Amino acid sequence: MTSSHTSLRLLLLLAISLGFFLNLHSVPLFDLDEGAFSEATREMLLRGDFISPYLNGEPRFDKPAFIHWLQAASVLAFGWNEFALRLPSALAASVWVLVVYGFVRTMRDERYALIAAIAMATSLEIPIIAKAATADAALNLFITSAMLAAFLFQQRQRRGYLYACFVLMGLGFLTKGPVAVAIPGAVTLLFYLSRGEFKAWLRAVFDPLGIALFLAVALPWYVLQYLKEGDAFIAGFFFKHNVGRFQGAMEGHGGSVFYYVPVVLIGLLPYTAVLIKTLAQGKRLWRDELSRYLLLWFALVFVLFSLSGTKLPHYVVYGYAALYILMALNFDRLPGRGWLFLPPLLLFVLLLLLPEFISAALPHIKDAHTTAMLQDHAGYFSTTYRLFFAAAAGLMLYFMWETRHSAQSKLLASGMITVCALSLFITPLVAAIQQAPVKEAAALAKARDYPVVMWRLNTPSFNVYAQRLVEKRAPRAGDIVLTKSIYLADLVGAEVLYQKNGIVLARLRD
């Protein structure tokens, strides 16, 4: 690997291809999020109602409709499959990375821009977001673009950047709601205050044309949705799924105030050591206006969601673009020391020995369904899997002691290995254990035209694959029931139609 721009451009193209598009079509939809988003899109097309998302026949007030419009357009173009449902996210993530590239190239030079974009595309968490049939890739694109446009406006005082920021916040508001306005608004306030320019911030925030552009983008759907669904939409969307998520843990997604510390350290692999080294230069970073803006951006996201009652790993990703830019700007300051490769080495060793770790943990897992799901895990780890991660770990050991190549080049190579591991092995493995049984049970129900009752289980991807609505209630005589295998003993005299990895489809006697 060389440091030429041509090589780095090719590496960026390869990183996006491997990380965002490889195996996009071959992995079953993950529950709950991918299943819920995809089923709501299916029902939108089925009902012919492109205003109000529904899930299993009931109004779904979790998110606005924008991502469902994108998925619906993709499905109409490419058919009803995983590729079409995930394509909007993969494309949004690609543009997200290229926006970061374009910004850094504008502010510094192309080499820093390419490093920032490659590191972003080859870290652990971004490709997961890019391949998820959810609203998160699009939301991150809009938040990041709005944040960068706001900084360019402050630096260059060109109104076009300000108006672009308002339009992008409007698109974000149409994608997931108030968070798309709250983050740019709060970060820019802190940055302007650090410069003693509060009045300038007020003038920008209350720009009449900017507000008009925001409302023109975001308001029509909210008005139409309110006219259709009434106060239930306001209570469900704004109070339950926005205010309520911050005030308390929803759906069991809670955690301590330190929840996002390990999430960030793991999510930025293999660049974790780069992050630590970069943030250690706190005072120097604060003196530079761009670095200060990026620090405020990530810090606000990190603190805000650390204090939130509901915690999910992807919430902190709203501030990741700031970290990739910061790390890229400090990439040349990295020492050529072996400890930079310790985080990816530990990752690859962990994955190499994952079957042994699961076997050791199984007797101590208290959740009976998880135990049932992992009972036959050993059969999913192939020889190729073992050889890949043994080679990856060996290469990290080599990188720790080799001195002919720069640490920067070796880190980017580590990133490429990480996305290959994720796309070729980890995601397909998890999907085979967790989601393939749901998809197979749904295929059986569709082929035999079974009317299915879902009991003590919430897997909306079943609806997607079975292409039908599913009742959720206690089973009655004659029902065909989809449930967890741990509840099979409660279904007296049930005939098992399908059973695998803790999932069972059974027919009750009349």
Side-chain angles (χ1 to χ4, degrees), residues 369 438 454-459 472 482-484 487 503:
H369 175 64
V438 177
M454 193 177 293
W455 180 54
R456 295 182 180 178
L457 185 67
N458 187 15
T459 54
K472 291 184 177 181
L482 179 74
T483 187
K484 298 176 182 178
Y487 301 128
I503 297 296

Side-chain angles (χ1 to χ4, degrees), residues 289-347:
E289 287 201 336
L290 173 57
S291 297
R292 186 195 316 161
Y293 183 76
L294 298 172
L295 282 172
L296 288 171
W297 176 0
F298 175 72
L300 181 129
V301 171
F302 185 86
V303 172
L304 177 67
F305 289 103
S306 293
L307 298 176
S308 172
T310 302
K311 293 179 173 67
L312 287 167
H314 61 268
Y315 288 170
V316 77
V317 177
Y318 304 150
Y320 273 14
L323 294 182
Y324 292 112
I325 297 172
L326 270 176
M327 290 190 294
L329 297 179
N330 290 273
F331 225 56
D332 291 335
R333 299 174 181 269
L334 293 175
R337 296 175 183 170
W339 60 266
L340 291 173
F341 302 97
L342 183 59
L345 172 62
L346 294 175
L347 171 67

Side-chain angles (χ1 to χ4, degrees), residues 275-293:
L275 172 67
I276 295 170
K277 181 65 177 177
T278 300
L279 295 181
Q281 307 172 50
K283 291 183 179 180
R284 189 188 65 79
L285 295 177
W286 188 259
R287 289 193 293 269
D288 177 74
E289 287 201 336
L290 173 57
S291 297
R292 186 195 316 161
Y293 183 76

